[in-house]
Amino acid sequence: MNSNVSNVSSLLDYETGYKCGKKWDSFRSNYAQIHGWASLFVCIFGCIANSLNIAVLTRRDMRSPTNMILTGLAVADLLVMIEYVPYAIHLYLYRRPRRDTFTYGWAVFVLFHSNFGQVCHTISICLTVTLAIWRYIAVAHPQKNHEWCSHRRTIIAIVGAYLFCPILCIPLYITTEVRSYVEILDKNGMNVNLTNIQDINYGNYTINNTTNTTLYFVKLKETPMVNGMLNEMNFWIYSVVIKLIPCMALTILSIKLVIVLLEAKERRKKLTTTALKTNDERLAESSNDQAKIKKKKANRNMDKERQTDRTTMMLLAVLLLFLLTELPQGVLGLLSVILGSSFFHTCYVMLGDVIDILTLINSAINFILYCTMSRQFRTTFKQLFCSKWRNLGRWMPVPQHPMDNNGNTGVTNHTVTQVTQV
């Protein structure tokens, strides 16, 4: 994410002269004005959506290896968005002087945000790859699915992702630290334009109505170890291991899934044609009751296969959204290393906020995909939430109305019925 771009910049200690131009800087400045509110809205929606995902996917009738991985994915995405809310408010929405913005406490929080967000997002990437592998096995090798993708192995894979990813990210977050800088600020705590100041005491290095203020920023550690071996590790881990390799694996698995789906559809079409002919032949020899039973059984099998196809298509949509978000980051990170710091600062950094919002949208939109493409998810969601609202309305007390001289309440029976059936 954007808060982690400094982890890549440690590699870029050389220049190639490649620059993207001033239009990118202008685009970044214009988008930054709306990024705070946009990211806050997406995070709030994503927190609610992922909470609903967890509530639905953990129901007893929804428990399956695939849904267990989706639950782990929802937890990781939820953590990313919960933590991003104070970050967006701090840097984009809560406008205050520099001396109040870049305090030591807030610098420590930004350092935590950078590390925590990267770890959680890496967990999400790892679980997405696991999901693709599990689904490919379920479609391509259904006879081995229960053995290879059992509940026990699924739990081990999820727990392993949550334990392994923080270790994988160690080279990324041990290279940053909180460092102090002294800046000249005016009495309001804002930047001072030295070219507009005339009254300068050169002997004491003081400026009227200004103070030397210590500000704190998250920067890269400037040590020989960081500039040497860790630079190489950062390149391989951030650009290749975390970004490009998962994207390549997901691309291959997605293509194979589509091929398997097409083959299964063609095979099912041939089987359906053969079954229809066989049923027509048996219909003349058997009773109507037997024919109806066989027809119902065939229809159930067809419905089950169609549900499997819908689930696979839903997961393919999840994988494609992931690719659209992560592949550009991997390519930009790789180009930043190849083309040097000029490309990184004039291209990659300029797109940091856009990368952030795309990542947040990808983390929040899965709920919509589940509702749109999974009938079982919709049914469980309605049973879990809609039935509770109906029961709450059914047990709401009926308001009492004063009676007139004839003993009438002033409310017709039709109205009372409507109230009691809300």
Side-chain angles (χ1 to χ4, degrees):
M1 299 176 72
N2 181 31
S3 52
N4 298 91
V5 294
S6 59
N7 292 325
V8 183
S9 64
S10 61
L11 313 170
L12 312 176
D13 54 357
Y14 56 91
E15 290 279 356
T16 60
Y18 188 93
K19 296 182 179 180
C20 289
K22 296 182 178 180
K23 291 184 178 180
W24 293 73
D25 191 16
S26 177
F27 169 79
R28 181 198 184 190
S29 300
N30 293 331
Y31 176 72
Q33 298 177 7
I34 64 172
H35 175 73
W37 290 110
S39 60
L40 183 63
F41 172 78
V42 173
C43 285
I44 293 174
F45 171 79
C47 289
I48 297 173
N50 280 288
S51 298
L52 295 175
N53 286 341
I54 296 170
V56 174
L57 294 173
T58 52
R59 300 289 292 178
R60 180 174 300 179
D61 55 342
M62 290 288 289
R63 290 176 186 173
S64 67
T66 297
N67 288 342
M68 291 167 65
I69 298 174
L70 290 175
T71 302
L73 185 63
V75 171
D77 290 339
L78 179 62
L79 292 175
V80 169
M81 285 179 286
I82 288 177
E83 192 276 329
Y84 198 90
V85 170
Y87 174 78
I89 294 174
H90 165 60
L91 283 185
Y92 297 96
L93 300 178
Y94 185 24
R95 302 295 181 181
R96 56 202 188 281
R98 283 178 66 83
R99 68 182 173 208
D100 298 327
T101 302
F102 299 102
T103 61
Y104 180 77
W106 277 115
V108 171
F109 167 75
V110 172
L111 180 61
F112 168 78
H113 161 80
S114 175
N115 298 334
F116 183 81
Q118 184 60 59
V119 169
C120 291
H121 191 58
T122 305
I123 293 172
S124 178
I125 293 172
C126 185
L127 290 178
T128 303
V129 176
T130 305
L131 178 65
I133 295 173
W134 255 238
R135 198 60 199 170
Y136 175 74
I137 293 174
V139 175
H141 306 282
Q143 67 279 2
K144 297 288 186 180
N145 183 38
H146 292 290
E147 178 184 353
W148 293 353
C149 304
S150 63
H151 282 73
R152 181 174 177 272
R153 292 187 177 183
T154 303
I155 293 175
I156 292 174
I158 296 172
V159 174
Y162 275 85
L163 295 178
F164 172 71
C165 290
I167 299 174
L168 177 65
C169 292
I170 286 177
L172 295 179
Y173 51 74
I174 66 173
T175 57
T176 54
E177 63 180 355
V178 175
R179 292 217 307 265
S180 61
Y181 291 87
V182 176
E183 290 188 5
I184 299 175
L185 304 179
D186 59 20
K187 60 182 180 180
N188 296 321
M190 304 299 291
N191 277 332
V192 175
N193 189 350
L194 296 178
T195 60
N196 295 332
I197 296 179
Q198 302 297 329
D199 189 9
I200 300 179
N201 185 337
Y202 291 94
N204 298 324
Y205 296 97
T206 59
I207 305 175
N208 287 350
N209 297 323
T210 62
T211 56
N212 291 334
T213 306
T214 302
L215 305 180
Y216 297 89
F217 302 89
V218 177
K219 297 291 184 180
L220 292 164
K221 294 180 180 178
E222 296 178 353
T223 63
M225 182 180 180
V226 171
N227 293 330
M229 180 182 65
L230 286 181
N231 282 354
E232 197 76 16
M233 293 180 65
N234 276 339
F235 163 68
W236 289 107
I237 290 176
Y238 184 85
S239 299
V240 178
V241 176
I242 293 180
K243 300 296 181 181
L244 292 181
I245 290 180
C247 288
M248 292 174 60
L250 286 176
T251 301
I252 295 172
L253 288 170
S254 299
I255 293 174
K256 287 189 173 183
L257 271 174
V258 172
I259 293 174
V260 170
L261 280 177
L262 293 176
E263 291 176 350
K265 184 177 180 179
E266 187 66 26
R267 185 168 58 252
R268 187 163 59 248
K269 184 178 179 180
K270 293 180 180 179
L271 290 174
T272 303
T273 303
T274 304
L276 289 175
K277 291 180 180 179
T278 304
N279 289 335
D280 291 340
E281 294 174 356
R282 292 178 178 177
L283 186 61
E285 302 174 359
S286 61
S287 63
N288 291 334
D289 293 338
Q290 292 177 343
K292 289 179 181 179
I293 292 174
K294 293 178 180 179
K295 186 176 181 180
K296 288 181 180 179
K297 185 176 180 181
N299 289 336
R300 282 197 301 268
N301 292 334
M302 290 292 293
D303 289 339
K304 187 176 180 181
E305 290 177 354
R306 291 193 188 99
Q307 178 63 25
T308 301
D309 289 350
R310 284 195 296 268
T311 302
T312 303
M313 293 303 295
M314 177 192 71
L315 298 180
L316 276 175
V318 173
L319 301 182
L320 290 177
L321 282 174
F322 174 85
L323 286 175
L324 290 175
T325 304
E326 299 301 325
L327 186 59
Q329 295 184 50
V331 173
L332 287 172
L334 186 61
L335 290 176
S336 298
V337 177
I338 295 174
L339 300 177
S341 60
S342 55
F343 176 86
F344 176 80
H345 291 292
T346 61
C347 302
Y348 191 102
V349 174
M350 298 299 109
L351 296 174
D353 289 340
V354 176
I355 291 174
D356 268 11
I357 195 66
L358 289 177
T359 302
L360 293 173
I361 291 173
N362 181 41
S363 299
I365 204 171
N366 288 340
F367 175 78
I368 299 176
L369 289 176
Y370 302 159
C371 287
T372 304
M373 306 184 72
S374 176
R375 183 175 59 188
Q376 186 182 12
F377 185 91
R378 291 195 304 269
T379 302
T380 306
F381 180 83
K382 291 177 182 178
Q383 292 175 351
L384 183 60
F385 295 102
C386 297
S387 60
K388 289 183 178 181
W389 282 108
R390 285 196 297 267
N391 292 334
L392 179 63
R394 187 177 295 114
W395 289 103
M396 286 178 63
V398 179
Q400 299 296 324
H401 297 272
M403 301 179 66
D404 58 17
N405 295 329
N406 296 324
N408 297 322
T409 61
V411 181
T412 62
N413 292 332
H414 176 66
T415 308
V416 174
T417 304
Q418 288 181 331
V419 173
T420 56
Q421 292 182 351
V422 173

